[in-house]
Amino acid sequence: QTNAQAADRLLRRRAKGISVDYLSGQFLTDLQTTFGRSITRNTRFTDLEKRLWGSLGARHSDCKDFLGHATLKDLDGHPGVSLRDALEFSRRDLVGAATHFVSWTWRYTIGDVVDALTAMCREQMLDPKTTFVWLCFFCNNQRQWLLEARSQDGVEVFGKVLKHIGKMVSILDS
């Protein structure tokens, strides 16, 4: 296998997304099962960060496992994978080649993001089961980014993924 083939395979793996159907249905229930009923549609993604990835440098010791993300091992054999990879491990049909790259911010609430993506599917007559969105929160191994103090070049990583996917949707609040 050449370096170019390996890079292409890695890009295809990185460019997988999570179905809008999962995000609009089971995602909140899964969060509540793990973290309790205090997680609602009004919970901001920034509020989920420490619960999911713990404190900087703690290497998952102070976070709660969600879908196996803290216990599954990455390609280098270290504990901790992206939420997308954990979901794919247990429910392969909810992950697929991303159809849309989503530009957004972690300050948004679960409800705002879900409502925007659901509206996109409805307005563009897309099937939520086969519409797979790439959101950094789910698709990057955030624990790895935190441990490396985000030393990875996000512009390069995101740019390659966006170019590969070919479609972007932006979520904006009022």
Side-chain angles (χ1 to χ4, degrees):
Q1 177 176 1
T2 67
N3 287 344
Q5 290 170 323
D8 184 59
R9 196 173 87 231
L10 178 61
L11 180 58
R12 281 195 315 272
R13 179 175 170 77
R14 279 188 172 162
K16 288 184 178 182
I18 294 181
S19 76
V20 172
D21 185 60
Y22 172 74
L23 293 173
S24 64
Q26 190 64 35
F27 174 57
L28 182 58
T29 302
D30 286 347
L31 284 171
Q32 290 174 337
T33 298
T34 302
F35 301 112
R37 295 279 177 203
S38 64
I39 303 296
T40 69
R41 287 178 42 84
N42 295 322
T43 300
R44 295 183 186 281
F45 284 88
T46 51
D47 297 330
L48 294 174
E49 180 180 3
K50 187 169 183 182
R51 291 179 189 228
L52 289 167
W53 295 292
S55 301
L56 185 60
R59 299 186 183 272
H60 285 292
S61 63
D62 61 346
C63 68
K64 197 159 189 178
D65 194 34
F66 179 67
L67 304 173
H69 88 286
T71 53
L72 292 170
K73 296 193 178 191
D74 67 15
L75 296 174
D76 296 324
H78 300 109
V81 297
S82 70
L83 297 176
R84 177 210 52 221
D85 289 349
L87 185 63
E88 183 177 30
F89 183 78
S90 62
R91 301 179 232 175
R92 190 171 299 274
D93 61 314
L94 301 177
V95 173
T99 57
H100 297 79
F101 179 101
V102 180
S103 176
W104 67 304
T105 174
W106 289 19
R107 290 184 314 236
Y108 294 158
T109 66
I110 294 168
D112 289 341
V113 172
V114 166
D115 291 349
L117 295 173
T118 301
M120 175 192 76
C121 287
R122 184 179 58 254
E123 291 166 12
Q124 295 182 15
M125 294 184 286
L126 301 170
D127 181 352
K129 290 182 179 175
T130 58
T131 302
F132 299 97
V133 291
W134 194 97
L135 296 110
C136 59
F137 185 88
F138 296 94
C139 298
N140 282 334
N141 182 342
Q142 296 297 342
R143 187 66 181 152
Q144 181 182 40
W145 281 62
L146 290 169
L147 288 172
E148 295 177 5
R150 293 186 172 92
S151 64
Q152 300 178 43
D153 184 351
V155 173
E156 181 182 348
V157 171
F158 285 34
K160 285 180 180 179
V161 169
L162 172 57
K163 186 176 180 181
H164 181 82
I165 294 168
K167 291 182 189 173
M168 181 175 74
V169 60
S170 295
I171 299 176
L172 303 171
D173 65 359
S174 53

